[in-house]
């Protein structure tokens, strides 16, 4: 139950960050909207794997959670691809050079990492790569997710109207605090701290 609540709050908060870009009347607006969906579903994909109850530890439930994780990450990958396509199209239409800002360069690296992590996870799930590499997948996945949030924050802060920046920064810190709180109060994390 706590998983659903946390993912819902994180998704709503991420969604609120893209409200200034709605309705998407331009290709440019599709970039932050798609990336907002990417970040929200990536957070959901991570949260669904956190074992916060005894029921989550059952083999069948773990398999269901893994399927949900894969589905959410597939949605996130498509959304990120749409966001990349949108901004690439804007740059082409305006004859501006690609990947000139820190946000753009870091975003390209994060996109590559995200696709790599998704493919690597699928390879582990399908037995192409041994399961012992799950910790590598998980670690790189967390780094990629936090990097994606940082790149999104950089883009939002840099490209958002000055009047809205305070709200955007507060919302991003709120997202980080909620995610940190969730991981702090989850029984799995608490058990690790006691050991």
């Amino acid at each position: 139950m706590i998983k659903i609540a946390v993912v819902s709050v994180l998704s709503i908060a991420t969604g609120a960050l893209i409200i200034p870009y709605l309705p998407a009347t331009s290709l440019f607006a599709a970039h932050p909207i798609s990336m907002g969906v990417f970040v929200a579903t990536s957070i959901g994909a991570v949260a669904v794997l956190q074992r916060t109850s005894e029921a989550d530890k059952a083999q069948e439930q773990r398999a269901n959670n893994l399927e949900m994780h894969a589905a959410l990450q597939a949605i996130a990958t498509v959304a990120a691809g749409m966001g990349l396509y949108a901004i690439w199209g804007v740059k082409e239409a305006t004859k501006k050079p690609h990947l000139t800002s820190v946000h753009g360069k870091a975003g390209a690296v994060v996109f590559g990492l995200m696709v790599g992590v998704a493919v690597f996870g699928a390879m582990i799930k399908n037995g192409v790569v041994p399961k012992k590499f799950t910790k590598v997948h998980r670690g790189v996945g967390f780094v990629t997710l936090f990097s994606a949030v940082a790149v999104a924050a950089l883009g939002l802060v840099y490209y958002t109207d000055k009047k809205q920046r305070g709200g955007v920064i507060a919302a991003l810190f709120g997202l980080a605090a909620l995610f940190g709180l969730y991981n702090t109060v989850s029984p799995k994390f608490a058990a690790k701290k006691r050991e």
Side-chain angles (χ1 to χ4, degrees), residues 26 32 58 69 77 83 85 137 147 149:
S26 70
H69 170 76
T77 302
Y85 174 80
H137 168 71
S147 298
V149 171

Side-chain angles (χ1 to χ4, degrees), residues 35-36 38-39 103 146-158 168 172:
M35 292 309 185
F38 157 62
V39 170
H103 171 73
F146 286 111
S147 298
V149 171
V151 169
L154 183 64
L156 285 167
V157 170
Y158 185 76
V168 167
L172 289 167

Side-chain angles (χ1 to χ4, degrees), residues 17-194:
L17 293 174
I18 62 176
I19 288 172
Y21 300 99
L22 296 173
T25 56
S26 70
L27 190 57
F28 177 77
H31 176 71
I33 292 168
S34 296
M35 292 309 185
V37 171
F38 157 62
V39 170
T41 53
S42 292
I43 290 170
V46 170
V48 79
L49 288 180
Q50 304 305 311
R51 296 184 194 130
T52 56
S53 69
E54 288 301 315
D56 285 340
K57 294 177 185 175
Q59 189 63 33
E60 185 178 330
Q61 186 59 45
R62 288 175 63 194
N64 289 341
N65 289 351
L66 187 59
E67 291 297 324
M68 178 64 75
H69 170 76
L72 287 170
Q73 206 52 53
I75 292 167
T77 302
V78 169
M82 290 170 61
L84 180 64
Y85 174 80
I87 201 63
W88 197 271
V90 167
K91 297 282 188 170
E92 286 294 314
T94 58
K95 307 278 190 246
K96 290 185 178 179
H98 298 283
L99 306 176
T100 57
S101 68
V102 173
H103 171 73
K105 290 173 186 172
V109 170
V110 167
F111 182 78
L113 278 170
M114 189 260 320
V115 170
V117 167
V119 169
F120 192 61
M123 291 170 72
I124 291 170
K125 183 180 181 296
N126 292 311
V128 176
V129 173
K131 285 192 184 240
K132 68 181 180 181
F133 289 102
T134 299
K135 286 185 180 183
V136 172
H137 168 71
R138 189 176 297 143
V140 175
F142 273 115
V143 168
T144 302
L145 176 59
F146 286 111
S147 298
V149 171
V151 169
L154 183 64
L156 285 167
V157 170
Y158 185 76
Y159 295 108
T160 301
D161 185 293
K162 286 182 181 179
K163 293 179 210 166
Q164 297 171 332
R165 281 191 187 153
V168 167
I169 292 168
L172 289 167
F173 276 113
L175 281 171
L178 282 170
F179 195 69
L181 177 66
Y182 170 71
N183 282 310
T184 302
V185 299
S186 74
K188 182 180 175 186
F189 182 83
K192 280 186 179 180
K193 277 180 79 173
R194 279 188 239 119

